[in-house]
Amino acid sequence: MPLTEDDTIQHFFPVWRERSNFILVARLNGPTATLERKWEQIWARQIEENLFEICCIPFFVYDLALGDLVTTASINGKNYVIDDRLKESNLKIFRIWLADAAQLPDIILELKRLGAIVEMRGSDSRLLAIAVEAGETTDNLRNVLSEWEASTLLTFEDGTICRGDS
């Protein structure tokens, strides 16, 4: 059965669009596995027949990051489904939901100043996915996000279920 827009979450502004040459899908996992849609579109760069570099920041799939190297397989009649992560990038993923869309430009500017790569979910969305180098930069960003969350500016989550926090 081919994928349709109805069962697949799409990316409209992938951060490495210019590097990508392929679109994969990933099965929703973790807390998002209960969403109505079951798949997330993942922009990628094909390296070999079934080896790809992730070129977007996942909004709903956990344990997958911008720059990861993944393999694909055919699953339930669907082709190019992410099957395994061969190499993790050094990027940590966070997702944030803004309380007020009017804050979007200021938040994006500050996130970039803090060293984050930012992907918008859509032009009218309050959901952002961000990637940041693991280590001290991650710790600094997590502290800022926690402060913003405490002030009710936004809520955030770590895009990791199984990976370590470093």
Side-chain angles (χ1 to χ4, degrees), residues 116-129:
I117 302 167
V118 180
E119 183 170 330
M120 294 175 54
R121 170 73 178 99
S123 57
D124 60 349
S125 177
R126 294 180 295 131
L127 172 59
L128 299 173

Side-chain angles (χ1 to χ4, degrees), residues 11 40 57-61 95 119-121 127-129 157:
H11 283 252
E40 182 170 354
I57 306 172
F59 285 104
F60 297 97
V61 172
R95 289 132 184 178
E119 183 170 330
M120 294 175 54
R121 170 73 178 99
L127 172 59
L128 299 173
E157 74 171 7

Side-chain angles (χ1 to χ4, degrees), residues 5-25:
E5 271 188 37
D6 292 338
D7 60 9
T8 305
I9 295 163
Q10 297 183 8
H11 283 252
F12 300 104
F13 306 106
V15 293
W16 290 352
R17 179 186 293 265
E18 71 285 349
R19 289 172 73 162
S20 67
N21 62 6
F22 219 93
I23 294 181
L24 310 174
V25 292

